[in-house]
Amino acid sequence: MAASKPVQIQAIQTNAFSKHEIFTKLISAGTAACVAEAITLPMDCAKIKLQVEGGTLFSTVRTIAMNDGAKGFFRGLIPGLHRQLGFCTIRLGLYDTTKAFYIENTSLNEGLPLRFAAGISTAVAAVCCAQPTEVVKIRMQAAKAGTARYAGTMAAYYNIAVTEGARGLWSGLGPSIVRLSICNIGEVVTYDSVKQAMLKRHLMRDAFPLHVFAAVCAGFVTTTLTSPVDVVKTTYVNSAPGTYSGAVGCARDLARTGGFKVFYKGCVPSFLRITGWNLIMFISYEQLRKIVSKQLSAY
Protein backbone atom coordinates (compact mmCIF):
# COMPACT_ATOMS: atom_id res chain seq x y z
CA MET A 1 0.00 0.00 0.00
CA ALA A 2 2.74 2.44 1.01
CA ALA A 3 4.59 1.88 -2.28
CA SER A 4 1.57 3.14 -4.22
CA LYS A 5 1.51 6.47 -2.42
CA PRO A 6 2.60 9.44 -4.55
CA VAL A 7 6.26 10.35 -4.23
CA GLN A 8 5.32 13.81 -2.94
CA ILE A 9 3.31 12.34 -0.05
CA GLN A 10 6.12 9.93 0.79
CA ALA A 11 8.51 12.89 0.99
CA ILE A 12 6.10 14.74 3.29
CA GLN A 13 5.86 11.65 5.49
CA THR A 14 9.63 11.28 5.86
CA ASN A 15 10.06 14.98 6.57
CA ALA A 16 7.22 15.04 9.14
CA PHE A 17 8.76 12.18 11.13
CA SER A 18 12.26 13.70 11.34
CA LYS A 19 13.29 14.84 14.83
CA HIS A 20 14.43 18.18 13.44
CA GLU A 21 11.03 18.85 11.88
CA ILE A 22 9.07 17.70 14.94
CA PHE A 23 11.08 19.85 17.38
CA THR A 24 10.89 22.82 15.02
CA LYS A 25 7.09 22.66 14.87
CA LEU A 26 6.61 21.97 18.58
CA ILE A 27 8.78 24.94 19.61
CA SER A 28 7.32 27.24 16.96
CA ALA A 29 3.71 26.31 17.73
CA GLY A 30 4.03 26.78 21.50
CA THR A 31 5.90 30.07 21.20
CA ALA A 32 3.59 31.52 18.53
CA ALA A 33 0.54 30.59 20.59
CA CYS A 34 1.95 32.35 23.68
CA VAL A 35 2.61 35.51 21.65
CA ALA A 36 -0.95 35.47 20.31
CA GLU A 37 -2.39 34.75 23.76
CA ALA A 38 -0.62 37.69 25.41
CA ILE A 39 -1.76 40.13 22.73
CA THR A 40 -5.40 39.01 22.47
CA LEU A 41 -6.08 38.17 26.13
CA PRO A 42 -8.01 41.42 26.84
CA MET A 43 -10.67 40.43 24.30
CA ASP A 44 -10.80 36.92 25.75
CA CYS A 45 -11.39 38.34 29.25
CA ALA A 46 -14.25 40.46 27.90
CA LYS A 47 -15.73 37.44 26.09
CA ILE A 48 -15.72 35.23 29.21
CA LYS A 49 -17.19 38.01 31.39
CA LEU A 50 -19.92 38.54 28.81
CA GLN A 51 -20.74 34.82 28.69
CA VAL A 52 -20.84 34.49 32.50
CA GLU A 53 -22.47 37.78 33.56
CA GLY A 54 -24.32 38.94 30.43
CA GLY A 55 -24.67 42.52 29.20
CA THR A 56 -23.12 44.11 26.11
CA LEU A 57 -19.54 44.19 24.89
CA PHE A 58 -19.25 47.90 25.70
CA SER A 59 -20.70 47.55 29.21
CA THR A 60 -18.47 44.55 29.92
CA VAL A 61 -15.31 46.38 28.85
CA ARG A 62 -16.35 49.44 30.87
CA THR A 63 -17.04 47.34 33.98
CA ILE A 64 -13.65 45.62 33.77
CA ALA A 65 -11.86 48.95 33.26
CA MET A 66 -13.68 50.71 36.11
CA ASN A 67 -13.36 47.93 38.68
CA ASP A 68 -10.01 46.33 37.89
CA GLY A 69 -8.17 48.77 35.65
CA ALA A 70 -5.75 47.58 32.99
CA LYS A 71 -4.80 44.48 34.99
CA GLY A 72 -8.39 43.26 34.73
CA PHE A 73 -7.89 42.69 31.01
CA PHE A 74 -4.90 40.44 31.66
CA ARG A 75 -6.42 38.33 34.41
CA GLY A 76 -5.50 34.71 33.81
CA LEU A 77 -2.43 35.55 31.69
CA ILE A 78 -0.13 32.99 33.35
CA PRO A 79 -2.58 30.04 33.15
CA GLY A 80 -3.42 31.28 29.65
CA LEU A 81 0.22 30.90 28.66
CA HIS A 82 0.31 27.51 30.42
CA ARG A 83 -2.77 26.53 28.40
CA GLN A 84 -1.26 27.51 25.07
CA LEU A 85 2.00 25.74 25.82
CA GLY A 86 0.01 22.59 26.55
CA PHE A 87 -2.75 22.89 23.97
CA CYS A 88 -1.21 24.49 20.89
CA THR A 89 2.18 22.80 21.16
CA ILE A 90 0.35 19.49 20.73
CA ARG A 91 -2.62 20.34 18.49
CA LEU A 92 -0.61 22.37 15.97
CA GLY A 93 2.94 21.16 16.59
CA LEU A 94 2.02 17.50 16.05
CA TYR A 95 -0.61 18.07 13.34
CA ASP A 96 1.63 17.36 10.32
CA THR A 97 3.27 14.40 12.05
CA THR A 98 -0.15 12.94 12.84
CA LYS A 99 -1.21 13.40 9.22
CA ALA A 100 1.92 11.54 8.12
CA PHE A 101 1.17 8.77 10.64
CA TYR A 102 -2.33 8.27 9.23
CA ILE A 103 -1.02 8.28 5.65
CA GLU A 104 1.47 5.58 6.54
CA ASN A 105 -0.81 3.39 8.67
CA THR A 106 -4.31 3.85 7.21
CA SER A 107 -6.01 4.13 3.84
CA LEU A 108 -6.40 7.90 4.30
CA ASN A 109 -4.73 10.09 1.71
CA GLU A 110 -4.37 13.86 1.27
CA GLY A 111 -7.82 15.42 1.67
CA LEU A 112 -10.37 16.57 4.24
CA PRO A 113 -10.89 13.17 5.94
CA LEU A 114 -7.15 12.99 6.66
CA ARG A 115 -7.06 16.56 7.95
CA PHE A 116 -10.15 16.00 10.11
CA ALA A 117 -8.63 12.85 11.61
CA ALA A 118 -5.33 14.57 12.40
CA GLY A 119 -7.04 17.68 13.78
CA ILE A 120 -9.38 15.76 16.08
CA SER A 121 -6.64 13.38 17.27
CA THR A 122 -4.23 16.15 18.28
CA ALA A 123 -7.07 18.11 19.91
CA VAL A 124 -8.08 15.15 22.09
CA ALA A 125 -4.46 14.55 23.11
CA ALA A 126 -4.01 18.24 23.98
CA VAL A 127 -7.11 18.42 26.19
CA CYS A 128 -6.30 15.20 28.04
CA CYS A 129 -2.84 16.56 28.87
CA ALA A 130 -3.58 20.22 29.58
CA GLN A 131 -7.21 20.56 30.79
CA PRO A 132 -6.17 21.79 34.30
CA THR A 133 -4.68 24.91 32.70
CA GLU A 134 -8.02 25.60 31.00
CA VAL A 135 -9.96 25.23 34.28
CA VAL A 136 -7.64 27.60 36.16
CA LYS A 137 -7.64 30.17 33.34
CA ILE A 138 -11.45 30.31 33.10
CA ARG A 139 -12.00 30.51 36.85
CA MET A 140 -9.47 33.30 37.31
CA GLN A 141 -10.89 35.30 34.40
CA ALA A 142 -14.51 34.81 35.48
CA ALA A 143 -13.99 36.12 39.05
CA LYS A 144 -16.33 38.93 40.05
CA ALA A 145 -15.09 42.45 39.39
CA GLY A 146 -12.78 43.73 42.10
CA THR A 147 -12.24 40.28 43.57
CA ALA A 148 -9.67 37.54 43.21
CA ARG A 149 -10.92 33.97 43.47
CA TYR A 150 -7.40 32.64 44.10
CA ALA A 151 -4.20 34.18 45.45
CA GLY A 152 -2.32 33.27 42.30
CA THR A 153 -1.99 30.75 39.50
CA MET A 154 -0.15 28.07 41.46
CA ALA A 155 -2.49 28.65 44.41
CA ALA A 156 -5.41 28.01 42.06
CA TYR A 157 -3.98 24.68 40.90
CA TYR A 158 -3.31 23.70 44.52
CA ASN A 159 -6.69 24.83 45.84
CA ILE A 160 -8.65 23.02 43.14
CA ALA A 161 -6.55 19.86 43.55
CA VAL A 162 -7.04 19.81 47.35
CA THR A 163 -10.74 20.72 47.46
CA GLU A 164 -12.01 19.04 44.30
CA GLY A 165 -9.30 16.56 43.36
CA ALA A 166 -8.63 15.35 39.83
CA ARG A 167 -12.34 15.71 39.03
CA GLY A 168 -12.04 19.45 39.62
CA LEU A 169 -8.83 19.89 37.64
CA TRP A 170 -10.26 17.97 34.70
CA SER A 171 -13.82 19.34 35.04
CA GLY A 172 -15.44 20.10 31.72
CA LEU A 173 -13.19 17.55 29.98
CA GLY A 174 -15.96 16.41 27.65
CA PRO A 175 -17.02 19.90 26.49
CA SER A 176 -13.35 20.89 26.15
CA ILE A 177 -12.61 17.88 23.93
CA VAL A 178 -15.62 18.69 21.77
CA ARG A 179 -14.74 22.39 21.62
CA LEU A 180 -11.05 21.94 20.87
CA SER A 181 -11.78 19.28 18.25
CA ILE A 182 -14.16 21.70 16.53
CA CYS A 183 -11.68 24.53 17.12
CA ASN A 184 -8.86 22.54 15.56
CA ILE A 185 -11.02 21.81 12.52
CA GLY A 186 -11.91 25.49 12.31
CA GLU A 187 -8.39 26.78 12.85
CA VAL A 188 -5.67 24.32 11.87
CA VAL A 189 -7.63 22.27 9.32
CA THR A 190 -9.16 25.36 7.68
CA TYR A 191 -5.80 27.14 7.58
CA ASP A 192 -4.10 24.06 6.12
CA SER A 193 -6.89 23.45 3.58
CA VAL A 194 -7.10 27.07 2.39
CA LYS A 195 -3.32 27.40 2.18
CA GLN A 196 -2.86 24.16 0.24
CA ALA A 197 -5.78 24.97 -2.08
CA MET A 198 -4.30 28.37 -2.96
CA LEU A 199 -0.86 26.88 -3.54
CA LYS A 200 -2.17 23.95 -5.58
CA ARG A 201 -4.09 26.27 -7.90
CA HIS A 202 -1.16 28.74 -8.05
CA LEU A 203 -3.46 31.56 -6.92
CA MET A 204 -1.07 32.78 -4.22
CA ARG A 205 2.52 32.17 -3.19
CA ASP A 206 3.53 30.77 0.22
CA ALA A 207 4.12 34.21 1.68
CA PHE A 208 2.64 36.77 4.07
CA PRO A 209 -0.57 37.62 2.08
CA LEU A 210 -1.51 33.94 1.87
CA HIS A 211 -0.88 33.44 5.60
CA VAL A 212 -3.14 36.42 6.40
CA PHE A 213 -5.93 35.23 4.08
CA ALA A 214 -5.86 31.67 5.42
CA ALA A 215 -5.78 32.90 9.04
CA VAL A 216 -8.85 35.15 8.55
CA CYS A 217 -10.75 32.25 6.95
CA ALA A 218 -9.78 30.08 9.91
CA GLY A 219 -10.98 32.72 12.37
CA PHE A 220 -14.41 33.04 10.74
CA VAL A 221 -15.00 29.28 10.52
CA THR A 222 -13.78 28.72 14.09
CA THR A 223 -16.05 31.38 15.60
CA THR A 224 -19.10 30.00 13.82
CA LEU A 225 -18.39 26.44 14.92
CA THR A 226 -17.19 26.96 18.48
CA SER A 227 -19.41 29.67 19.98
CA PRO A 228 -22.18 27.29 21.21
CA VAL A 229 -19.73 24.81 22.71
CA ASP A 230 -17.68 27.65 24.19
CA VAL A 231 -20.69 29.08 26.04
CA VAL A 232 -21.60 25.66 27.48
CA LYS A 233 -18.00 24.92 28.49
CA THR A 234 -17.46 28.30 30.16
CA THR A 235 -20.75 28.10 32.08
CA TYR A 236 -20.18 24.50 33.15
CA VAL A 237 -16.53 24.88 34.22
CA ASN A 238 -17.28 28.06 36.17
CA SER A 239 -20.31 26.61 37.99
CA ALA A 240 -20.31 25.25 41.53
CA PRO A 241 -20.08 21.45 41.84
CA GLY A 242 -23.53 19.88 41.40
CA THR A 243 -25.11 22.86 39.65
CA TYR A 244 -25.59 20.89 36.45
CA SER A 245 -25.98 17.16 35.88
CA GLY A 246 -23.38 17.36 33.13
CA ALA A 247 -22.42 19.24 29.98
CA VAL A 248 -25.59 18.11 28.18
CA GLY A 249 -27.71 19.16 31.15
CA CYS A 250 -25.96 22.53 31.19
CA ALA A 251 -26.69 23.04 27.48
CA ARG A 252 -30.32 22.02 28.00
CA ASP A 253 -30.77 24.48 30.89
CA LEU A 254 -29.16 27.30 28.90
CA ALA A 255 -31.41 26.63 25.91
CA ARG A 256 -34.52 26.51 28.11
CA THR A 257 -33.76 29.83 29.85
CA GLY A 258 -32.11 31.80 27.02
CA GLY A 259 -33.13 30.19 23.74
CA PHE A 260 -30.88 29.65 20.71
CA LYS A 261 -29.30 33.10 20.90
CA VAL A 262 -27.73 32.33 24.29
CA PHE A 263 -25.27 30.02 22.52
CA TYR A 264 -23.88 32.97 20.56
CA LYS A 265 -23.59 35.28 23.55
CA GLY A 266 -20.19 36.96 23.30
CA CYS A 267 -19.75 35.96 19.65
CA VAL A 268 -18.59 39.46 18.57
CA PRO A 269 -15.63 39.67 20.98
CA SER A 270 -15.10 35.99 20.30
CA PHE A 271 -14.80 36.60 16.54
CA LEU A 272 -12.48 39.57 17.03
CA ARG A 273 -10.36 37.62 19.47
CA ILE A 274 -10.22 34.37 17.48
CA THR A 275 -9.50 36.09 14.17
CA GLY A 276 -6.87 38.31 15.77
CA TRP A 277 -5.41 35.31 17.56
CA ASN A 278 -5.25 33.31 14.32
CA LEU A 279 -3.58 36.15 12.45
CA ILE A 280 -0.91 36.63 15.10
CA MET A 281 -0.40 32.94 15.80
CA PHE A 282 -0.16 31.62 12.24
CA ILE A 283 1.97 34.51 10.98
CA SER A 284 4.28 34.10 13.99
CA TYR A 285 4.30 30.34 13.50
CA GLU A 286 5.32 30.55 9.84
CA GLN A 287 8.17 32.95 10.65
CA LEU A 288 9.30 31.08 13.76
CA ARG A 289 9.48 27.81 11.83
CA LYS A 290 12.12 29.34 9.55
CA ILE A 291 14.08 30.82 12.45
CA VAL A 292 13.92 27.76 14.72
CA SER A 293 14.73 25.39 11.86
CA LYS A 294 17.82 27.42 10.99
CA GLN A 295 18.92 27.52 14.64
CA LEU A 296 18.41 23.79 15.15
CA SER A 297 20.32 23.03 11.96
CA ALA A 298 23.37 24.67 13.51
CA TYR A 299 23.50 21.98 16.22
Side-chain angles (χ1 to χ4, degrees):
M1 176 69 73
S4 65
K5 301 260 184 204
V7 174
Q8 183 182 12
I9 292 179
Q10 289 181 355
I12 292 172
Q13 275 182 258
T14 304
N15 191 42
F17 283 125
S18 72
K19 289 183 180 180
H20 177 277
E21 187 71 11
I22 292 174
F23 281 124
T24 295
K25 290 178 178 177
L26 288 175
I27 294 170
S28 301
T31 305
C34 285
V35 172
E37 181 74 11
I39 294 175
T40 62
L41 188 64
M43 191 56 68
D44 194 41
C45 288
K47 178 203 73 174
I48 289 178
K49 281 281 189 182
L50 193 56
Q51 289 176 342
V52 173
E53 299 179 8
T56 65
L57 175 58
F58 178 75
S59 65
T60 300
V61 170
R62 183 178 60 185
T63 299
I64 295 173
M66 291 178 60
N67 290 282
D68 296 321
K71 68 179 183 181
F73 292 100
F74 290 92
R75 182 178 295 187
L77 175 61
I78 301 303
L81 297 179
H82 290 175
R83 176 184 181 275
Q84 294 304 337
L85 283 173
F87 278 24
C88 206
T89 298
I90 296 172
R91 73 184 181 93
L92 174 60
L94 292 179
Y95 173 75
D96 287 331
T97 302
T98 305
K99 279 204 307 181
F101 173 83
Y102 282 129
I103 290 174
E104 185 176 272
N105 295 281
T106 71
S107 60
L108 291 174
N109 212 320
E110 279 291 342
L112 279 179
L114 172 66
R115 294 186 174 106
F116 273 54
I120 292 171
S121 297
T122 54
V124 172
V127 174
C128 290
C129 292
Q131 178 63 7
T133 63
E134 173 83 340
V135 172
V136 170
K137 174 178 176 284
I138 289 177
R139 291 192 183 185
M140 290 185 72
Q141 286 181 327
K144 296 291 183 180
T147 66
R149 191 167 180 177
Y150 304 103
T153 303
M154 300 313 296
Y157 286 117
Y158 178 78
N159 185 280
I160 296 171
V162 170
T163 59
E164 301 176 44
R167 183 185 294 272
L169 287 171
W170 270 269
S171 65
L173 185 67
S176 286
I177 287 176
V178 173
R179 183 193 181 278
L180 197 64
S181 295
I182 296 172
C183 185
N184 230 25
I185 290 171
E187 288 182 349
V188 180
V189 173
T190 299
Y191 182 86
D192 183 31
S193 299
V194 170
K195 181 181 174 182
Q196 294 305 319
M198 294 295 103
L199 292 174
K200 184 177 181 180
R201 291 168 175 75
H202 305 289
L203 296 175
M204 300 180 78
R205 293 185 299 107
D206 190 1
F208 183 79
L210 174 56
H211 302 160
V212 171
F213 177 69
V216 171
C217 290
F220 176 78
V221 173
T222 303
T223 304
T224 303
L225 294 176
T226 62
S227 281
V229 181
D230 198 29
V231 170
V232 173
K233 182 202 68 174
T234 300
T235 304
Y236 183 70
V237 170
N238 195 56
S239 64
T243 302
Y244 301 105
S245 58
V248 175
C250 178
R252 186 171 56 246
D253 288 350
L254 287 172
R256 185 169 57 249
T257 57
F260 177 77
K261 66 180 181 179
V262 75
F263 294 109
Y264 282 90
K265 185 168 60 174
C267 66
V268 174
S270 182
F271 171 73
L272 295 175
R273 194 260 178 184
I274 289 174
T275 302
W277 192 93
N278 274 278
L279 279 167
I280 297 167
M281 195 279 292
F282 280 116
I283 291 171
S284 299
Y285 175 66
E286 297 283 5
Q287 300 307 310
L288 282 167
R289 279 178 58 185
K290 300 174 184 176
I291 297 170
V292 173
S293 180
K294 186 180 295 184
Q295 292 297 318
L296 289 179
S297 296
Y299 291 96

